[in-house]
Coordinates of all heavy atoms in Angstrom, one line a residue:
M1 N -29.7 102.7 -119.6 CA -29.9 104.1 -119.4 C -29.1 104.8 -120.5 O -28.0 104.5 -120.7 CB -29.6 104.5 -118.2 CG -29.8 106.1 -117.9 SD -30.4 106.4 -116.2 CE -29.7 108.1 -116.1
L2 N -29.6 105.9 -121.1 CA -29.0 106.6 -122.1 C -27.9 107.5 -121.5 O -27.9 107.9 -120.3 CB -29.9 107.6 -122.9 CG -31.1 107.1 -123.5 CD1 -31.9 108.2 -124.0 CD2 -30.6 106.4 -124.8
T3 N -26.7 107.8 -122.2 CA -25.9 108.7 -121.8 C -26.5 110.1 -122.2 O -27.3 110.2 -123.0 CB -24.5 108.5 -122.5 OG1 -24.6 108.7 -123.9 CG2 -24.0 107.0 -122.3
C4 N -25.8 111.0 -121.7 CA -26.2 112.5 -121.9 C -26.0 112.7 -123.4 O -27.0 113.4 -124.0 CB -25.6 113.4 -121.1 SG -26.0 113.5 -119.4
K5 N -25.0 112.2 -124.0 CA -24.8 112.4 -125.4 C -25.9 111.9 -126.2 O -26.4 112.4 -127.2 CB -23.5 111.8 -125.6 CG -22.7 112.6 -126.8 CD -21.3 112.0 -127.1 CE -20.8 112.4 -128.6 NZ -19.7 111.6 -128.7
Q6 N -26.1 110.5 -125.8 CA -27.4 109.9 -126.6 C -28.6 110.6 -126.5 O -29.5 110.8 -127.3 CB -27.5 108.4 -126.1 CG -26.4 107.6 -126.4 CD -26.4 106.2 -125.7 OE1 -26.7 106.2 -124.6 NE2 -26.0 105.2 -126.6
Q7 N -28.8 111.1 -125.3 CA -30.0 111.9 -124.9 C -30.1 113.2 -125.7 O -31.1 113.5 -126.2 CB -29.9 112.2 -123.3 CG -30.7 113.4 -122.9 CD -32.2 113.2 -123.0 OE1 -32.7 112.1 -122.8 NE2 -32.9 114.1 -123.3
V8 N -29.0 114.0 -125.8 CA -29.0 115.2 -126.6 C -29.3 114.9 -128.0 O -29.9 115.6 -128.7 CB -27.6 115.9 -126.4 CG1 -27.5 117.0 -127.3 CG2 -27.6 116.4 -124.9
A9 N -28.7 113.9 -128.5 CA -28.9 113.5 -129.9 C -30.4 113.1 -130.3 O -30.8 113.4 -131.4 CB -28.1 112.3 -130.3
R10 N -31.0 112.8 -129.3 CA -32.5 112.5 -129.5 C -33.5 113.6 -129.1 O -34.7 113.6 -129.4 CB -32.9 111.3 -128.5 CG -32.5 110.0 -129.1 CD -32.5 108.9 -128.0 NE -32.3 107.5 -128.3 CZ -31.1 107.1 -128.5 NH1 -30.0 107.9 -128.4 NH2 -30.9 105.8 -129.0
S11 N -33.0 114.7 -128.5 CA -33.9 115.6 -127.9 C -34.8 116.4 -128.9 O -35.9 116.7 -128.7 CB -33.1 116.6 -127.0 OG -32.0 117.0 -127.6
S12 N -34.2 116.7 -130.1 CA -35.1 117.5 -131.0 C -36.2 116.6 -131.5 O -37.3 117.0 -131.7 CB -34.2 118.2 -132.1 OG -33.9 117.3 -133.1
D13 N -35.7 115.2 -131.8 CA -36.9 114.4 -132.3 C -37.8 114.2 -131.1 O -39.0 114.0 -131.4 CB -36.2 113.0 -132.6 CG -35.6 113.0 -134.0 OD1 -35.7 113.9 -134.7 OD2 -34.8 112.1 -134.3
Y14 N -37.4 114.1 -129.9 CA -38.3 113.9 -128.8 C -39.3 115.2 -128.8 O -40.5 114.9 -128.6 CB -37.4 113.8 -127.4 CG -38.2 113.9 -126.2 CD1 -39.0 112.9 -125.9 CD2 -38.2 115.0 -125.3 CE1 -39.7 112.8 -124.7 CE2 -39.0 115.1 -124.3 CZ -39.8 113.9 -123.8 OH -40.5 113.9 -122.7
L15 N -38.8 116.3 -128.9 CA -39.7 117.5 -128.8 C -40.6 117.5 -130.0 O -41.6 118.1 -129.9 CB -38.9 118.8 -128.8 CG -38.1 119.1 -127.5 CD1 -37.2 120.2 -127.5 CD2 -39.1 119.2 -126.4
D16 N -40.1 117.0 -131.1 CA -41.0 117.0 -132.3 C -41.9 115.9 -132.4 O -42.8 115.6 -133.2 CB -40.1 116.9 -133.6 CG -39.4 118.2 -133.9 OD1 -39.7 119.2 -133.3 OD2 -38.4 118.3 -134.7
G17 N -42.0 114.9 -131.3 CA -42.7 113.8 -131.3 C -42.3 112.7 -132.3 O -43.2 111.9 -132.8
Q18 N -41.1 112.8 -132.8 CA -40.7 111.8 -133.9 C -40.0 110.4 -133.3 O -39.8 109.6 -134.0 CB -39.6 112.5 -134.7 CG -40.0 113.9 -135.3 CD -40.9 113.6 -136.4 OE1 -40.8 112.6 -137.2 NE2 -42.0 114.4 -136.5
L19 N -40.0 110.3 -131.9 CA -39.4 109.1 -131.4 C -40.4 108.0 -131.3 O -41.6 108.3 -131.1 CB -38.8 109.5 -130.1 CG -37.6 110.2 -130.0 CD1 -37.1 110.4 -128.7 CD2 -36.5 109.7 -130.9
S20 N -39.9 106.8 -131.4 CA -40.7 105.6 -131.2 C -41.1 105.6 -129.7 O -40.5 106.3 -128.8 CB -40.1 104.4 -131.5 OG -38.9 104.1 -130.7
F21 N -42.1 104.8 -129.4 CA -42.5 104.6 -128.0 C -41.4 104.3 -127.1 O -41.1 104.9 -126.0 CB -43.6 103.6 -127.9 CG -44.2 103.5 -126.4 CD1 -44.9 104.5 -125.8 CD2 -44.0 102.2 -125.9 CE1 -45.3 104.2 -124.6 CE2 -44.4 102.1 -124.5 CZ -45.2 103.1 -123.9
R22 N -40.6 103.3 -127.6 CA -39.5 102.8 -126.8 C -38.4 104.0 -126.5 O -38.0 104.1 -125.5 CB -38.9 101.7 -127.5 CG -38.1 100.6 -126.6 CD -37.4 99.6 -127.6 NE -36.0 100.0 -127.7 CZ -35.2 99.5 -126.7 NH1 -35.4 98.9 -125.6 NH2 -33.9 99.9 -126.9
E23 N -38.1 104.7 -127.6 CA -37.1 105.6 -127.6 C -37.6 106.8 -126.6 O -36.8 107.4 -125.8 CB -36.8 106.3 -128.8 CG -36.3 105.3 -129.8 CD -34.7 105.4 -129.9 OE1 -34.3 106.4 -130.2 OE2 -34.0 104.4 -129.6
R24 N -38.9 107.0 -126.6 CA -39.5 108.1 -125.9 C -39.4 107.8 -124.4 O -39.0 108.5 -123.5 CB -40.9 108.3 -126.2 CG -41.3 109.8 -125.9 CD -42.6 110.1 -127.0 NE -43.6 109.1 -126.7 CZ -44.3 108.6 -127.6 NH1 -44.1 108.9 -128.9 NH2 -45.3 107.7 -127.4
L25 N -39.6 106.5 -124.0 CA -39.4 106.0 -122.6 C -38.0 106.2 -122.2 O -37.7 106.6 -121.1 CB -39.8 104.5 -122.5 CG -41.3 104.2 -122.6 CD1 -41.5 102.8 -122.3 CD2 -41.9 105.1 -121.5
L26 N -37.1 105.8 -122.9 CA -35.7 105.9 -122.7 C -35.3 107.4 -122.4 O -34.6 107.8 -121.5 CB -34.7 105.4 -123.9 CG -34.6 104.0 -124.0 CD1 -33.9 103.7 -125.4 CD2 -34.0 103.3 -122.9
V27 N -35.8 108.3 -123.3 CA -35.5 109.7 -122.9 C -36.2 110.2 -121.7 O -35.6 110.8 -120.8 CB -36.0 110.7 -124.2 CG1 -36.0 112.1 -123.8 CG2 -35.2 110.3 -125.4
R28 N -37.4 109.8 -121.5 CA -38.1 110.2 -120.2 C -37.4 109.7 -118.9 O -37.2 110.4 -117.9 CB -39.5 109.5 -120.2 CG -40.5 110.2 -121.2 CD -41.6 111.0 -120.5 NE -42.5 111.5 -121.5 CZ -43.5 111.1 -122.1 NH1 -43.9 109.8 -121.7 NH2 -44.2 111.7 -122.9
H29 N -37.0 108.5 -119.1 CA -36.1 107.8 -118.1 C -34.9 108.7 -117.7 O -34.7 109.0 -116.6 CB -35.8 106.4 -118.4 CG -35.3 105.6 -117.1 ND1 -34.0 105.3 -117.2 CD2 -35.8 105.1 -116.1 CE1 -33.8 104.6 -116.1 NE2 -34.8 104.5 -115.6
H30 N -34.2 109.0 -118.7 CA -33.0 109.8 -118.7 C -33.3 111.1 -117.9 O -32.7 111.5 -117.0 CB -32.3 109.9 -119.9 CG -31.0 110.7 -119.7 ND1 -29.8 110.0 -119.6 CD2 -30.8 111.9 -119.7 CE1 -28.8 110.8 -119.5 NE2 -29.4 112.1 -119.5
L31 N -34.3 111.7 -118.5 CA -34.7 113.2 -117.9 C -35.1 113.0 -116.5 O -34.8 114.0 -115.6 CB -36.0 113.6 -118.7 CG -35.6 114.0 -120.2 CD1 -36.8 114.5 -120.8 CD2 -34.5 115.2 -120.2
M32 N -35.6 111.9 -115.9 CA -36.0 111.8 -114.5 C -34.8 111.9 -113.7 O -34.9 112.3 -112.6 CB -36.7 110.4 -114.4 CG -38.1 110.5 -114.1 SD -38.9 109.0 -113.5 CE -38.9 108.0 -115.1
F33 N -33.6 111.4 -114.3 CA -32.5 111.2 -113.3 C -31.5 112.3 -113.7 O -30.5 112.4 -112.9 CB -31.9 109.8 -113.6 CG -32.8 108.7 -112.8 CD1 -33.6 108.0 -113.7 CD2 -32.8 108.5 -111.6 CE1 -34.4 107.1 -113.2 CE2 -33.6 107.5 -111.0 CZ -34.4 106.8 -111.8
C34 N -31.6 113.0 -114.7 CA -30.5 114.0 -115.0 C -31.0 115.4 -115.1 O -31.7 115.8 -116.1 CB -30.1 113.5 -116.5 SG -28.6 114.4 -116.9
P35 N -30.9 116.2 -114.1 CA -31.3 117.6 -114.0 C -30.7 118.4 -115.3 O -31.2 119.3 -115.8 CB -30.7 118.1 -112.8 CG -30.1 116.9 -112.1 CD -30.1 115.8 -112.9
N36 N -29.5 118.1 -115.6 CA -28.9 118.8 -116.7 C -29.5 118.7 -118.0 O -29.7 119.7 -118.7 CB -27.4 118.3 -117.0 CG -26.5 118.8 -115.8 OD1 -26.7 119.8 -115.2 ND2 -25.4 117.9 -115.5
C37 N -30.0 117.4 -118.3 CA -30.7 117.3 -119.6 C -32.1 117.9 -119.5 O -32.6 118.2 -120.5 CB -30.6 115.8 -119.9 SG -29.1 115.3 -120.6
R38 N -32.6 117.7 -118.3 CA -34.0 118.4 -118.1 C -33.9 119.9 -118.4 O -34.8 120.4 -119.1 CB -34.4 118.2 -116.6 CG -35.4 117.0 -116.4 CD -36.3 117.2 -115.2 NE -35.6 117.5 -114.1 CZ -35.1 116.7 -113.2 NH1 -35.2 115.4 -113.5 NH2 -34.5 117.0 -112.1
R39 N -32.9 120.6 -117.9 CA -32.7 122.0 -118.3 C -32.5 122.2 -119.7 O -33.1 123.0 -120.3 CB -31.6 122.5 -117.4 CG -31.5 124.1 -117.3 CD -30.7 124.5 -116.1 NE -29.4 123.8 -116.2 CZ -28.9 123.3 -115.1 NH1 -29.4 123.4 -114.0 NH2 -27.7 122.6 -115.3
F40 N -31.8 121.2 -120.3 CA -31.4 121.4 -121.7 C -32.7 121.3 -122.5 O -33.0 122.1 -123.4 CB -30.4 120.3 -122.1 CG -30.0 120.4 -123.5 CD1 -29.3 121.4 -124.1 CD2 -30.5 119.3 -124.5 CE1 -29.0 121.3 -125.5 CE2 -30.4 119.4 -125.7 CZ -29.4 120.4 -126.3
I41 N -33.5 120.3 -122.2 CA -34.8 120.1 -123.0 C -35.7 121.3 -122.8 O -36.3 121.7 -123.8 CB -35.5 118.8 -122.4 CG1 -34.8 117.6 -123.1 CG2 -36.9 118.7 -122.8 CD1 -35.3 117.1 -124.3
K42 N -35.8 121.8 -121.6 CA -36.6 122.9 -121.4 C -36.2 124.2 -122.0 O -37.0 124.8 -122.7 CB -36.5 123.2 -119.8 CG -37.6 124.1 -119.4 CD -37.6 124.1 -117.8 CE -38.2 125.5 -117.3 NZ -37.8 125.8 -115.9
Q43 N -34.9 124.4 -122.2 CA -34.5 125.5 -123.0 C -34.7 125.2 -124.5 O -35.1 126.1 -125.2 CB -32.9 125.6 -122.8 CG -32.5 126.5 -121.7 CD -31.2 126.4 -121.3 OE1 -30.2 125.8 -121.9 NE2 -30.7 127.1 -120.3
M44 N -34.5 124.0 -125.0 CA -34.9 123.7 -126.4 C -36.3 124.0 -126.7 O -36.7 124.5 -127.7 CB -34.5 122.3 -126.8 CG -33.2 122.2 -127.1 SD -32.8 120.5 -127.8 CE -33.4 120.9 -129.5
R45 N -37.1 123.5 -125.8 CA -38.6 123.7 -125.9 C -39.0 125.3 -125.9 O -39.7 125.7 -126.8 CB -39.3 123.1 -124.7 CG -40.8 122.8 -125.0 CD -41.4 122.1 -123.8 NE -41.4 120.7 -124.1 CZ -41.3 119.7 -123.1 NH1 -41.2 120.2 -121.8 NH2 -41.3 118.5 -123.3
L46 N -38.4 125.9 -125.0 CA -38.6 127.4 -125.0 C -38.1 128.0 -126.4 O -38.8 128.9 -126.9 CB -37.8 128.1 -123.8 CG -38.5 128.3 -122.5 CD1 -37.5 129.0 -121.6 CD2 -39.7 129.2 -122.7
M47 N -36.9 127.6 -126.8 CA -36.3 128.2 -128.0 C -37.3 127.9 -129.2 O -37.4 128.8 -130.0 CB -35.0 127.5 -128.1 CG -34.3 128.0 -129.4 SD -33.7 129.8 -129.1 CE -32.1 129.6 -128.6
S48 N -37.7 126.7 -129.3 CA -38.6 126.5 -130.4 C -39.9 127.1 -130.4 O -40.4 127.6 -131.4 CB -38.7 125.0 -130.7 OG -39.8 124.3 -129.8
A49 N -40.5 127.3 -129.2 CA -41.7 128.0 -128.9 C -41.4 129.6 -129.4 O -42.3 130.1 -129.9 CB -42.1 127.8 -127.6
T50 N -40.3 130.0 -128.9 CA -40.0 131.5 -129.1 C -39.9 131.6 -130.7 O -40.3 132.6 -131.3 CB -38.6 131.8 -128.4 OG1 -38.9 131.5 -127.0 CG2 -38.3 133.2 -128.6
L51 N -39.1 130.7 -131.3 CA -38.8 130.9 -132.8 C -40.1 130.8 -133.6 O -40.2 131.5 -134.6 CB -37.9 129.8 -133.3 CG -36.4 129.9 -132.9 CD1 -35.7 128.6 -133.4 CD2 -35.8 131.0 -133.4
K52 N -41.1 130.0 -133.2 CA -42.4 130.0 -133.9 C -43.1 131.3 -133.8 O -43.9 131.7 -134.6 CB -43.2 129.0 -133.3 CG -42.9 127.6 -133.9 CD -43.8 126.5 -133.3 CE -43.1 125.2 -133.6 NZ -43.3 124.2 -132.5
K53 N -42.8 132.1 -132.7 CA -43.6 133.3 -132.5 C -42.9 134.6 -133.2 O -43.4 135.7 -133.2 CB -43.7 133.7 -131.0 CG -44.6 132.8 -130.2 CD -45.0 133.3 -128.9 CE -45.8 132.4 -128.2 NZ -45.6 132.4 -126.9
L54 N -41.8 134.3 -133.8 CA -41.1 135.5 -134.3 C -41.7 136.1 -135.7 O -42.4 135.1 -136.4 CB -39.6 135.0 -134.8 CG -38.7 134.9 -133.6 CD1 -37.4 134.3 -134.1 CD2 -38.5 136.1 -132.9
P55 N -41.8 137.3 -135.7 CA -42.4 137.8 -136.9 C -41.6 137.5 -138.2 O -40.4 137.2 -138.2 CB -42.3 139.4 -136.7 CG -41.2 139.6 -135.8 CD -41.1 138.2 -135.0
E56 N -42.3 137.4 -139.4 CA -41.6 137.3 -140.6 C -41.6 138.6 -141.4 O -42.5 139.4 -141.2 CB -42.6 136.4 -141.6 CG -42.7 135.0 -141.0 CD -41.6 134.1 -141.4 OE1 -40.6 134.4 -142.1 OE2 -41.5 132.9 -140.8
P57 N -40.6 139.0 -142.1 CA -39.4 138.2 -142.2 C -38.6 138.3 -141.0 O -38.7 139.1 -140.1 CB -38.6 138.9 -143.3 CG -39.2 140.3 -143.2 CD -40.6 140.2 -142.8
L58 N -37.5 137.3 -140.7 CA -36.8 137.3 -139.5 C -36.0 138.5 -139.4 O -35.3 139.0 -140.5 CB -35.8 136.0 -139.6 CG -36.6 134.7 -139.5 CD1 -35.6 133.6 -139.6 CD2 -37.3 134.5 -138.2
P59 N -36.0 139.1 -138.3 CA -35.1 140.2 -137.9 C -33.6 139.9 -138.2 O -33.2 138.7 -138.0 CB -35.5 140.6 -136.5 CG -36.0 139.4 -135.9 CD -36.7 138.6 -136.9
T60 N -32.9 140.8 -138.4 CA -31.5 140.6 -138.6 C -30.7 140.3 -137.4 O -29.7 139.7 -137.3 CB -30.9 141.8 -139.4 OG1 -31.2 143.0 -138.8 CG2 -31.2 141.9 -140.9
D61 N -31.2 141.0 -136.3 CA -30.6 140.7 -135.0 C -31.3 139.5 -134.3 O -31.7 139.6 -133.1 CB -30.6 142.0 -134.2 CG -32.1 142.4 -133.9 OD1 -33.0 142.1 -134.7 OD2 -32.3 143.3 -133.0
L62 N -31.5 138.5 -135.1 CA -32.2 137.3 -134.5 C -31.8 136.8 -133.2 O -32.6 136.6 -132.2 CB -32.1 136.1 -135.5 CG -32.8 134.8 -135.2 CD1 -34.3 135.1 -135.1 CD2 -32.7 133.7 -136.2
E63 N -30.5 136.8 -133.0 CA -30.0 136.1 -131.7 C -30.3 137.0 -130.5 O -30.8 136.5 -129.5 CB -28.5 136.1 -131.8 CG -28.0 134.7 -132.1 CD -26.6 134.5 -132.3 OE1 -25.9 135.0 -131.6 OE2 -26.0 133.9 -133.4
Q64 N -30.1 138.3 -130.8 CA -30.6 139.1 -129.7 C -32.0 139.1 -129.3 O -32.4 139.2 -128.2 CB -30.2 140.6 -129.9 CG -28.7 141.0 -129.8 CD -28.1 140.9 -131.4 OE1 -28.3 140.0 -132.1 NE2 -27.4 142.0 -131.6
T65 N -32.9 139.2 -130.4 CA -34.3 139.1 -130.2 C -34.7 137.9 -129.5 O -35.5 137.8 -128.6 CB -34.9 139.0 -131.6 OG1 -34.5 140.2 -132.4 CG2 -36.5 139.1 -131.5
V66 N -34.2 136.6 -129.9 CA -34.5 135.4 -129.1 C -34.0 135.5 -127.6 O -34.9 135.2 -126.7 CB -33.8 134.3 -129.9 CG1 -33.9 133.1 -129.0 CG2 -34.4 134.0 -131.2
E67 N -32.8 135.9 -127.5 CA -32.4 136.2 -126.0 C -33.4 137.0 -125.2 O -33.6 136.8 -124.1 CB -31.0 136.8 -126.1 CG -29.8 135.7 -125.9 CD -28.4 136.4 -126.1 OE1 -28.3 137.5 -125.6 OE2 -27.6 135.7 -126.8
R68 N -33.7 138.1 -125.8 CA -34.6 139.1 -125.2 C -35.9 138.4 -124.8 O -36.4 138.6 -123.6 CB -34.8 140.3 -126.0 CG -35.3 141.7 -125.2 CD -35.3 142.8 -126.1 NE -36.3 142.6 -127.2 CZ -35.8 142.8 -128.5 NH1 -34.7 143.2 -128.8 NH2 -36.7 142.6 -129.5
M69 N -36.4 137.7 -125.8 CA -37.8 137.1 -125.6 C -37.7 135.9 -124.5 O -38.5 135.9 -123.5 CB -38.2 136.3 -126.8 CG -38.7 137.4 -127.9 SD -39.1 136.7 -129.4 CE -40.9 136.1 -129.1
M70 N -36.5 135.2 -124.4 CA -36.3 134.2 -123.4 C -36.2 134.9 -122.2 O -36.7 134.3 -121.1 CB -35.2 133.4 -123.8 CG -35.5 132.4 -125.0 SD -34.1 131.3 -125.4 CE -34.3 130.1 -124.1
R71 N -35.5 135.9 -122.0 CA -35.3 136.6 -120.8 C -36.6 137.2 -120.2 O -36.9 137.0 -119.1 CB -34.3 137.8 -121.0 CG -33.0 137.7 -120.3 CD -32.2 138.9 -119.9 NE -32.4 139.9 -121.1 CZ -31.5 140.0 -122.1 NH1 -30.6 139.2 -122.3 NH2 -31.7 141.0 -122.9
E72 N -37.4 137.7 -121.1 CA -38.7 138.3 -120.7 C -39.6 137.1 -120.1 O -40.4 137.3 -119.2 CB -39.3 138.9 -121.9 CG -38.9 140.3 -122.0 CD -39.3 140.9 -123.4 OE1 -40.1 140.5 -124.0 OE2 -38.7 142.0 -123.6
R73 N -39.5 135.9 -120.9 CA -40.3 134.8 -120.4 C -40.0 134.3 -119.0 O -40.8 133.8 -118.3 CB -40.2 133.5 -121.3 CG -41.2 133.6 -122.5 CD -40.7 132.6 -123.5 NE -41.8 132.2 -124.4 CZ -42.6 131.3 -124.1 NH1 -42.5 130.4 -123.2 NH2 -43.6 131.0 -125.0
S74 N -38.8 134.3 -118.7 CA -38.2 133.7 -117.6 C -38.5 134.5 -116.2 O -38.2 134.2 -115.2 CB -36.7 133.3 -117.7 OG -36.0 134.5 -117.8
R75 N -39.0 135.8 -116.5 CA -39.4 136.7 -115.4 C -40.5 136.2 -114.7 O -41.5 135.7 -115.2 CB -39.5 138.0 -115.9 CG -38.3 138.8 -115.8 CD -38.6 140.3 -116.1 NE -37.4 140.9 -116.8 CZ -37.5 141.7 -117.8 NH1 -38.6 142.0 -118.3 NH2 -36.5 142.2 -118.4
Ligands
ZN101 ZN1 -28.2 113.7 -119.0

C-alpha cells in the first residue's frame, strides 16, 4: 500500500489520467482506505475544475476568486 506521501506525489498525474494501470490501482486502493487523501484528491479535482472556468486574462486576485468559487460550489 502507498504511503500518503507517495499518494500525494501521484495525485496530479492521477487526475490527469497520466498513471499506468498498475499505479492507478495503487492510488485507488489507497484512497479506499484513507479519508484524508480522498479529501485531498477531491479538493485538487475541484481546484482544477475551478481553474479551467476562470476568465482570461487571469484576475489579479486569483486566490480570492478561487476561494470564493470553491465556497460557492460547496454550498
Ligand atoms: Zn493517505
Side-chain angles (χ1 to χ4, degrees):
M1 177 147 155
L2 297 176
T3 64
C4 288
K5 210 174 158 190
Q6 291 171 319
Q7 156 69 32
V8 167
R10 283 163 174 78
S11 50
S12 80
D13 283 345
Y14 175 71
L15 290 173
D16 290 341
Q18 301 291 316
L19 292 180
S20 67
F21 181 68
R22 207 184 100 83
E23 296 264 297
R24 212 158 53 227
L25 281 186
L26 286 173
V27 170
R28 291 241 175 95
H29 186 254
H30 184 96
L31 291 177
M32 253 193 281
F33 292 100
C34 184
N36 289 332
C37 286
R38 264 206 307 272
R39 196 162 45 226
F40 177 75
I41 284 273
K42 200 170 150 196
Q43 271 168 3
M44 275 193 78
R45 196 177 267 149
L46 266 182
M47 181 66 96
S48 83
T50 305
L51 284 174
K52 276 180 201 141
K53 284 191 187 153
L54 286 175
E56 301 274 355
L58 292 176
T60 45
D61 60 342
L62 182 60
E63 270 177 39
Q64 289 98 310
T65 306
V66 171
E67 260 174 39
R68 201 175 56 233
M69 288 173 85
M70 287 182 78
R71 255 204 316 275
E72 280 167 10
R73 261 170 172 267
S74 61
R75 261 184 218 140

